[in-house]
Amino acid sequence: MDGPWGMPWGTFLSLVFLWMSPVVAIIVNQTRWWRELTKD
Amino acid sequence: MQANWVTLTVMLVYCLGMIGIGVYFSKRVTSSMEFFIANRSLGPWVIAFSYLATYYSTVMMIGSPGFVYLQGMGYGIWAMIGSGWLFALLPFFYMAVPVRKQAERLGAYTVPDWLGNRYGSDAVRGLTAILIAVLIIPLCASILKGTGSLMQVLAGISYGWGVVLSGVVVLIYLMLSGFYGVCWTDYVQAIIMTVGLLLVFPIALYEAGGVSAMVQRLKDADPALVGIPGKLPWGQFITLSLIWGFTVPGTPQLLTRFMALRKNSMMRTCMIASATFGTLMIFLSYSNGILARALYPTEFLKSPDLVVPTLVYRMLPLWIAAIFVSAALAAAMSSLDSVALVAASSLIRDLYERVILKDSGRTVTERQMVNWSRVISVIIVGISIAMALKPPAIIFLLSAFTAGTLAAALASPVLYAIYWKRGNWQGALAATIGGTTVTLIWYIFKIPGLHPYVPGVITSLVLMPVVSLMTPAPAKELIDLAFETSKPAPGGRTARATTT
């Protein structure tokens, strides 16, 4: 069965995964590990 | 002819703007540290955009969308993932901060300088510098060849004038302002690339009838165009879409961006900017290939490189098409300036200053070093222009595998330098030589199955620990200095705790 816009589900989920890159960047930026690593 | 004059006018305005940036920053350059790394003074947005513009060349705007046109949507999206995740985001987690910190503590401002100081070895420094210089000059010529062809097709000027115009513009701002000019022009070039791509995408999507209609058109042309792995076998699909994202640790012109950031904390903004705009740019660019396949299912199967230029000129008003052409030119120039500067720094800073001058016992002033750096930059770009104008066959044979070979040679010494204290100069030398040799053999004999970078980098990653463990451990004071357990090198300039 096709997913949104008639795409196969694998293709659609890959597209979603692609756009998770900036989201992950914003989330990691809030973590203590990253704040500690990038301390001046 | 009208198309040519509009395009040419927009391109000339763009070129004058780039030279203007070079003139503006020229007064700041008073030392080789400023010429090669802008005195570690650049902010997060400039570094992030320069990082993106350096990696994204004309291939990203013209060649790769052509390949996506052939392979379809599933491949296109995974090639975007290779770039958006493996290039634009993950290197900030696993290497950007340690590279920046270590280079600063060791007083290094080029990659051979950093590796030479980290491993306490002029042999590592010299070999890395020679490899970079030898492999990057053909790459410069290859980029210029692409630029000449681009301007010939899109602006209607001769190939030779296209090569000379783009080469001379890069030469002027590179010579005047060094890394300042390179990064600030990259910054503007990345913005032009994003604007150019943003102008094309919505119009092409509208012409295709929206996302659903585009997908349906692709299915009608060939159902394999919308699926994963689509028209490719799984092995090739994964390798081709993701491989270049893994080459960042071995790409000196990218590592230098991390070293030039003013403060560690700026890496936070830098990472978010890179991940966001890197994903956006690659998405817009590769989508052109997908949309073009929906719009022209069979027209460009034999000439995929023409698909994006044709799409742009058929869809867009002339002046917008001219901006897109300038964006493609910007993509080429932003890569050319960075690689030319890396080659110049390897010859001047690492071979001339740190090896030849040291051995002869002579000293030179900072002003002399800057002048020599400018002369070498002129020579490198000049040789590249000459090669691109009348290309010897060997140059393009070489340029086909320079990026992969260099990445395989340097990735392992770079990664072990920041993560493994036991790694020593003998291991680094073995890894560099082994990685280079295996990659070259794979390329030359065209061994099928794997991209040559993969066996090269695996060899290098294995050789480094094996040889390091068979030979003496590096000096404790060197490791303390590199891994922040002692005070940094005096003045951030010299860090020669031990040498071979």
Side-chain angles (χ1 to χ4, degrees):
Chain A
M1 196 176 76
D2 285 340
W5 294 304
M7 287 180 206
W9 275 102
T11 307
F12 174 73
L13 291 175
S14 300
L15 192 60
V16 173
F17 179 65
L18 166 72
W19 282 101
M20 289 304 288
S21 166
V23 177
V24 167
I26 291 165
I27 292 170
V28 170
N29 194 42
Q30 309 302 319
T31 63
R32 185 177 294 178
W33 165 75
W34 178 249
R35 293 270 157 180
E36 198 60 35
L37 185 71
T38 54
K39 207 165 60 179
D40 288 323
Chain B
M1 284 307 287
Q2 193 199 359
N4 294 350
W5 283 114
V6 173
T7 309
L8 263 181
T9 307
V10 172
M11 273 177 13
L12 284 175
V13 170
Y14 156 76
C15 289
L16 288 174
M18 295 300 106
I19 292 172
I21 291 173
V23 172
Y24 179 80
F25 283 102
S26 61
K27 287 178 187 162
R28 290 201 190 180
V29 180
T30 54
S31 69
S32 54
M33 189 169 177
E34 281 168 311
F35 192 84
F36 290 130
I37 203 171
N39 211 16
R40 295 187 221 282
S41 65
L42 297 176
W45 286 95
V46 175
I47 289 292
F49 276 53
S50 176
Y51 178 75
L52 296 174
T54 298
Y55 185 76
Y56 292 152
S57 64
T58 322
V59 175
M60 182 274 269
M61 294 193 72
I62 309 281
S64 295
F67 193 65
V68 171
Y69 173 88
L70 295 179
Q71 302 304 333
M73 195 174 182
Y75 170 81
I77 291 173
W78 272 82
M80 294 174 202
I81 288 171
S83 186
W85 275 84
L86 299 177
F87 157 70
L89 175 67
L90 295 182
F92 286 87
F93 296 162
Y94 70 78
M95 64 182 303
V97 181
V99 166
R100 191 203 164 276
K101 284 181 181 176
Q102 208 174 77
E104 187 177 40
R105 289 179 65 82
L106 294 169
Y109 48 89
T110 67
V111 171
D113 199 19
W114 165 46
L115 292 178
N117 287 353
R118 160 64 182 84
Y119 292 113
S121 163
D122 279 341
V124 171
R125 181 196 315 280
L127 178 66
T128 312
I130 289 169
L131 264 181
I132 289 174
V134 168
L135 291 173
I136 272 186
I137 291 175
L139 190 60
C140 290
S142 172
I143 295 171
L144 274 171
K145 181 174 176 276
T147 315
S149 306
L150 180 84
M151 289 171 78
Q152 187 178 22
V153 173
L154 299 183
I157 62 174
S158 74
Y159 169 82
W161 278 110
V163 168
V164 171
L165 177 68
S166 48
V168 168
V169 171
V170 168
L171 182 62
I172 292 171
Y173 70 69
L174 173 62
M175 191 184 70
L176 286 173
S177 54
F179 200 74
Y180 284 111
V182 167
C183 282
W184 276 97
T185 50
D186 283 359
Y187 179 63
V188 176
Q189 284 156 348
I191 292 171
I192 294 172
M193 286 156 71
T194 310
V195 170
L197 290 164
L198 273 173
L199 290 171
V200 178
F201 176 75
I203 297 173
L205 186 60
Y206 176 77
E207 287 290 329
V211 180
S212 300
M214 177 196 75
V215 173
Q216 192 54 51
R217 283 182 188 221
L218 290 171
K219 282 180 180 170
D220 293 344
D222 182 349
L225 289 172
V226 295
I228 293 172
K231 297 163 76 70
L232 290 167
W234 270 107
Q236 266 190 308
F237 177 83
I238 295 288
T239 310
L240 288 175
S241 60
L242 301 182
I243 193 74
W244 291 108
F246 287 111
T247 60
V248 177
T251 308
Q253 61 269 32
L254 298 176
L255 300 175
T256 319
R257 266 73 195 157
F258 300 145
M259 295 179 187
L261 192 64
R262 198 181 317 144
K263 293 196 290 188
N264 284 332
S265 55
M266 289 179 171
M267 207 61 90
R268 300 168 190 167
T269 308
C270 198
M271 170 191 68
I272 295 174
S274 170
T276 307
F277 284 91
T279 305
L280 177 68
M281 286 163 78
I282 205 74
F283 172 77
L284 294 172
S285 178
Y286 287 9
S287 293
N288 285 340
I290 300 170
L291 286 162
R293 188 64 192 260
L295 289 164
Y296 320 117
T298 55
E299 199 175 333
F300 297 98
L301 290 176
K302 288 185 178 163
S303 52
D305 280 354
L306 291 179
V307 72
V308 171
T310 312
L311 179 83
V312 166
Y313 272 102
R314 283 189 190 169
M315 298 272 155
L316 302 175
L318 206 51
W319 66 273
I320 296 183
I323 292 177
F324 185 86
V325 176
S326 298
L329 183 64
M333 287 165 73
S334 58
S335 300
L336 175 66
D337 59 14
S338 306
V339 293
L341 187 68
V342 160
S345 66
S346 297
L347 290 172
I348 277 289
R349 164 76 173 171
D350 303 305
L351 282 180
Y352 178 67
E353 186 185 4
R354 303 304 290 267
V355 178
I356 298 171
L357 271 184
K358 198 188 90 179
D359 289 347
S360 71
R362 284 169 49 217
T363 53
V364 290
T365 64
E366 279 298 333
R367 173 54 62 187
Q368 285 172 310
M369 282 301 295
V370 171
N371 289 338
W372 271 112
S373 307
R374 288 183 164 139
V375 170
I376 292 294
S377 304
V378 172
I379 292 172
I380 288 171
V381 180
I383 291 173
S384 307
I385 292 174
M387 283 178 172
L389 284 176
K390 203 164 185 180
I394 183 72
I395 293 307
F396 293 105
L397 186 66
L398 272 175
S399 68
F401 50 74
T402 49
T405 307
L406 194 58
L410 298 184
S412 164
V414 163
L415 290 173
Y416 283 112
I418 52 178
Y419 284 118
W420 196 42
K421 295 180 181 178
R422 181 63 179 77
N424 61 13
W425 68 268
Q426 294 93 331
L429 274 187
T432 305
I433 294 167
T436 309
T437 310
V438 170
T439 312
L440 283 176
I441 289 172
W442 226 266
Y443 270 120
I444 291 166
F445 293 102
K446 296 186 171 68
I447 301 171
L450 284 173
H451 189 285
Y453 171 70
V454 179
V457 82
I458 290 173
T459 306
S460 176
L461 286 169
V462 171
L463 277 175
M464 177 89 195
V466 169
V467 175
S468 291
L469 290 172
M470 289 165 62
T471 46
K476 184 178 179 304
E477 59 269 33
L478 185 71
I479 296 306
D480 287 346
L481 184 63
F483 288 88
E484 304 191 44
T485 43
S486 73
K487 287 183 180 176
R493 280 297 306 267
T494 51
R496 318 271 306 157
T498 180
T499 55
T500 55

